[in-house]
């Protein structure tokens, strides 16, 4: 059946929800949310975070899924069908996830290595591993192969099937780890207090901005993924219900992750007689330095729990990375009319090649060196800042602007009403999407860039470099769009051949 066109898509609504939740639940939930919560006033921060999810994240998610679903095509075509002159919004939505994969795969490789260690009862050592270039490259390759196998399988037989198994598995593993940790005894209640006791005095403008940024990243918004997954759904999907389920699941997992991490760390600190706050409690260090020590101190059963924990982290990372690999693959499949397996392999090879310098740069930084730094940062931090602080909010903003202004709120309301929305709800949503959400995203963007250029109030030339690089990326993408893509066919889901 050479060159037979087929329409790809999710087979069921729940398959779509689990795949989208898989994209949303990632490292951001496990190492971003818990620490930000603890640092910004515990339950007080959680309340603000939930408000951000509800009023910004949820509405932006509706816009992204809606855009994909109405075009049944990749992000570029999704914007092009609205107006040819805004198709470049979609090109940004294709480029951002590609940039993210370069560093996310390296982190994925780290998680595979630590799961592997705990399986054999060993405790990983972050700096030794990070400094061993061949190991970093090998484990990044293993991680990418997991993702490649899933994406090569296609939407229904790869992404959907994998998500239907992996997401419940992730949830069960997380529950097991939480239950185990809550019964550790000593120090547990201090950990819970540190994490959740509300302290409204800690809520400042910067904590509100942290909550908004975290909501975006955690819900996989502004990275094309929800547009692409949305394009594989039809009218049988209830937008309101699906988006709510994805948001609730994502937030619940993030909350639970903190309930596993802080009680365990505080238990360890109490047993060792050291202040918990002296341990590294955030990001890379939390995950790959502090937690392995904590699990090791529990004895042989600690390694079992550690293995469960890292298996869960791998699942979270794989189900996220497949969503962004799918963004580039879908575009290549549709633009160049080539087979999925070849397109996906191409994306994986490019990602692998570019993840090598990122891995080397990160390893060097963790070992006190400065190989392959850009603007005073290792490449991972650089790419993370470019995407998180500048490009993702721009991309999310464009989705809301496209729905609220270019499609036009009236037309969008009509389409949403066709979707089973009550007229009043649709009208309220359309106003929020037109005025309120873009305004808040613009605020996040502006404060993000100001914070980059003037960290702690003083001018930083490196921050300016990062901001200008991000703008240069946007400018290049606009030029590429107008020269190459505006007047050529960029394809739809109907173009996938199999
Ligand atoms: N929502 C993801 C997370 O919280 O980790 C963000 C993400 C990052 C999605 C990287 C996909 C990805 F490859």
């Amino acid at each position: 059946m050479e060159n037979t066109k087929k329409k790809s898509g999710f087979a069921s609504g729940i398959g779509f929800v689990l795949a989208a939740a898989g994209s949303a639940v990632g490292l951001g939930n496990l190492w971003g949310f818990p620490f930000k919560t603890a640092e910004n006033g515990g339950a007080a921060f959680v309340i603000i975070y939930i408000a951000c999810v509800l009023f910004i994240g949820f509405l932006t998610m509706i816009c992204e899924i809606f855009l994909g679903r109405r075009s049944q095509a990749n992000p570029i075509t999704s914007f092009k069908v609205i107006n040819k002159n805004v198709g470049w919004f979609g090109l940004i939505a294709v480029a951002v996830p590609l940039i993210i994969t370069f560093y996310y795969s390296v982190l994925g490789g780290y998680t595979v290595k630590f799961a592997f260690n705990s399986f054999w009862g060993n405790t990983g050592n972050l700096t030794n591993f990070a400094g061993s270039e061949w190991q970093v490259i090998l484990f990044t390759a293993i991680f990418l192969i997991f993702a490649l196998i899933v994406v090569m399988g296609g939407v229904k037989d790869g992404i959907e099937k994998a998500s239907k198994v992996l997401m419940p598995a992730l949830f069960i593993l997380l529950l097991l780890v939480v239950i185990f940790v809550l019964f550790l005894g000593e120090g547990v209640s201090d950990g819970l207090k540190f994490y959740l006791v509300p302290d409204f005095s800690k809520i400042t403008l910067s904590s509100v901005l942290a909550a908004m940024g975290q909501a975006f990243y955690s819900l996989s918004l502004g990275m094309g993924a929800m547009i692409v997954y949305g394009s594989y759904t039809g009218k049988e999907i209830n937008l309101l219900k699906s988006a709510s389920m994805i948001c609730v699941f994502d937030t619940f997992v993030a909350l639970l992750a903190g309930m596993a991490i802080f009680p365990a760390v505080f238990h360890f600190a109490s047993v060792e007689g050291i202040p918990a706050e002296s341990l590294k409690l955030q990001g890379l260090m939390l995950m790959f330095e502090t937690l392995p020590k904590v699990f090791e101190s529990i004895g042989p059963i600690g390694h079992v729990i550690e293995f469960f924990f890292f298996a869960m982290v791998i699942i979270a990372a794989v189900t996220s990375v497949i969503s962004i690999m799918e963004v580039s693959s879908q575009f290549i499949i549709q633009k160049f009319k080539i087979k999925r397996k070849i397109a996906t392999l191409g994306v994986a090879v490019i990602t692998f090649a570019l993840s090598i310098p990122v891995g080397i740069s990160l390893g060097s930084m963790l070992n006190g060196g400065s190989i392959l730094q850009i603007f005073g940062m290792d490449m991972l931090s650089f790419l993370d800042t470019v995407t998180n602080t500048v490009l993702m909010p721009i991309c999310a903003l464009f989705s809301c602007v496209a729905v609220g202004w270019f499609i036009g709120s009236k037309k969008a309301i009509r389409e949403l009403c066709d979707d089973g929305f009550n007229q009043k709800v649709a009208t309220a949503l359309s106003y929020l999407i037109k005025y309120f959400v873009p305004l808040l995203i613009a605020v996040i963007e502006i404060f993000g860039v100001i914070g980059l250029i003037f960290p702690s109030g003083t001018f930083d030339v490196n921050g300016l470099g990062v901001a200008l690089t991000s703008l240069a990326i946007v400018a290049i993408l606009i030029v590429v769009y107008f020269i190459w893509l505006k007047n050529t066919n960029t394809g739809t889901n109907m173009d996938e051949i199999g």
Side-chain angles (χ1 to χ4, degrees):
M1 292 274 282
E2 277 303 293
N3 281 354
T4 324
K5 290 194 173 191
K6 69 172 185 195
K7 186 175 175 304
S8 39
F10 290 105
S12 65
I14 189 68
F16 161 69
V17 169
L18 286 174
S23 172
V25 172
L27 295 175
N29 299 59
L30 305 176
W31 78 25
F33 179 83
F35 184 76
K36 284 185 191 157
T37 302
E39 196 187 35
N40 289 293
F45 179 81
V46 173
I47 295 170
I48 294 183
Y49 178 79
I50 291 175
C52 293
V53 167
L54 213 69
F55 289 107
I56 316 176
F58 172 65
L59 294 173
T60 309
M61 183 175 288
I62 287 189
C63 291
E64 294 199 358
I65 300 174
F66 179 68
L67 283 172
R69 199 187 58 175
R70 75 195 285 278
S71 70
Q72 299 284 300
N74 63 71
I76 300 177
T77 307
S78 295
F79 285 101
K80 246 172 137 181
V81 294
I82 300 170
N83 182 328
K84 263 195 166 182
N85 288 321
V86 297
W88 55 275
F89 291 4
L91 184 58
I92 299 177
V94 172
V96 170
L98 189 64
I99 301 174
I100 298 177
T101 39
F102 303 153
Y103 70 83
Y104 210 78
S105 323
V106 174
L107 296 176
Y110 277 44
T111 62
V112 176
K113 164 70 181 172
F114 276 72
F116 190 78
N117 273 347
S118 51
F119 183 77
W120 295 108
N122 302 322
T123 302
N125 178 304
L126 178 63
T127 42
N128 285 355
F129 168 65
S132 160
E133 287 161 8
W134 73 267
Q135 281 202 64
V136 172
I137 294 172
L138 173 72
F139 283 97
T140 302
I142 297 175
F143 176 75
L144 274 171
I145 290 170
F146 288 157
L148 179 64
I149 293 171
V150 177
V151 182
M152 265 190 174
V155 179
K156 182 157 51 77
D157 297 324
I159 296 172
E160 181 168 358
K161 274 201 181 141
S163 307
K164 275 182 161 168
V165 177
L166 292 176
M167 290 320 286
L170 175 144
F171 196 62
I172 291 169
L173 285 171
L174 179 57
L175 279 182
L176 285 176
V177 177
V178 172
I179 292 169
F180 176 82
V181 167
L182 290 180
F183 282 101
L184 281 174
E186 199 179 329
V188 166
S189 58
D190 292 335
L192 286 176
K193 259 189 228 148
F194 172 75
Y195 179 37
L196 289 174
V197 165
D199 179 356
F200 285 94
S201 71
K202 283 200 180 151
I203 299 293
T204 58
L205 177 67
S206 81
S207 47
V208 175
L209 289 171
M212 289 195 208
Q214 176 66 22
F216 266 109
Y217 188 75
S218 189
L219 293 170
S220 294
L221 299 169
M223 54 176 87
M226 292 298 161
I227 303 181
V228 169
Y229 277 5
S231 82
Y232 295 128
T233 66
K235 285 278 180 201
E236 73 284 356
I237 301 284
N238 181 318
L239 258 182
L240 197 59
K241 226 169 140 186
S242 310
S244 333
M245 279 161 80
I246 300 164
C247 291
V248 168
F249 192 78
D250 185 67
T251 306
F252 194 53
V253 169
L255 272 170
L256 275 182
M259 295 184 62
I261 291 169
F262 290 115
V265 171
F266 275 69
H267 168 74
F268 171 72
S270 157
V271 170
E272 300 281 311
I274 48 173
E277 284 85 348
S278 69
L279 294 164
K280 291 165 183 149
L281 296 179
Q282 108 163 285
L284 212 67
M285 295 296 183
L286 165 73
M287 183 93 16
F288 300 116
E289 195 179 293
T290 307
L291 283 178
K293 267 194 228 151
V294 171
F295 287 123
E296 163 146 65
S297 75
I298 301 170
I301 180 89
H303 279 303
V304 176
I305 297 298
E306 183 180 15
F307 176 68
F308 283 0
F309 182 81
F310 279 111
M312 172 190 88
V313 184
I314 295 180
I315 295 176
V318 167
T319 49
S320 290
V321 90
I322 57 179
S323 72
I324 53 177
M325 252 168 101
E326 176 62 22
V327 178
S328 329
S329 306
Q330 182 201 38
F331 171 65
I332 294 173
I333 292 166
Q334 299 181 0
K335 171 72 194 155
F336 300 104
K337 316 277 183 277
I338 56 176
K339 286 195 175 171
R340 169 173 285 274
K341 287 199 169 64
I342 299 170
T344 318
L345 189 64
V347 170
V349 169
I350 293 172
T351 304
F352 177 61
L354 284 159
S355 66
I356 294 175
V358 178
I360 293 174
S361 165
L362 178 65
S364 160
M365 186 273 290
L366 288 170
N367 281 285
S370 58
I371 301 175
L372 289 174
Q373 285 201 345
I374 305 179
F375 296 120
M377 293 180 198
D378 68 278
M379 284 179 76
L380 185 139
S381 310
F382 170 73
L383 296 176
D384 186 43
T385 311
V386 165
T387 47
N388 270 3
T389 315
V390 191
L391 298 181
M392 280 166 47
I394 290 186
C395 197
L397 177 70
F398 286 166
S399 297
C400 296
V401 168
V403 174
W405 294 85
F406 291 108
I407 295 178
S409 15
K410 285 228 174 77
K411 198 160 166 220
I413 294 174
R414 218 177 311 120
E415 290 186 33
L416 285 170
C417 282
D418 281 349
D419 202 37
F421 277 81
N422 163 305
Q423 173 80 32
K424 275 198 187 127
V425 176
T427 310
L429 285 184
S430 79
Y431 277 108
L432 290 172
I433 288 169
K434 190 166 180 179
Y435 301 105
F436 179 74
V437 185
L439 193 74
L440 283 182
I441 302 179
V443 169
I444 301 179
E445 176 78 41
I446 292 165
F447 277 98
V449 173
I450 293 176
L452 197 60
I453 304 176
F454 298 98
S456 50
T458 46
F459 173 70
D460 177 16
V461 69
N462 284 331
L464 180 66
V466 177
L468 291 178
T469 310
S470 314
L471 292 181
I473 294 175
V474 173
I476 292 170
L477 293 172
I478 295 176
V479 172
V480 168
Y481 176 76
F482 282 101
I483 292 180
W484 178 45
L485 296 167
K486 184 182 167 196
N487 293 315
T488 59
N489 181 4
T490 40
T492 71
N493 291 356
M494 293 302 289
D495 291 316
E496 178 159 354
I497 52 176

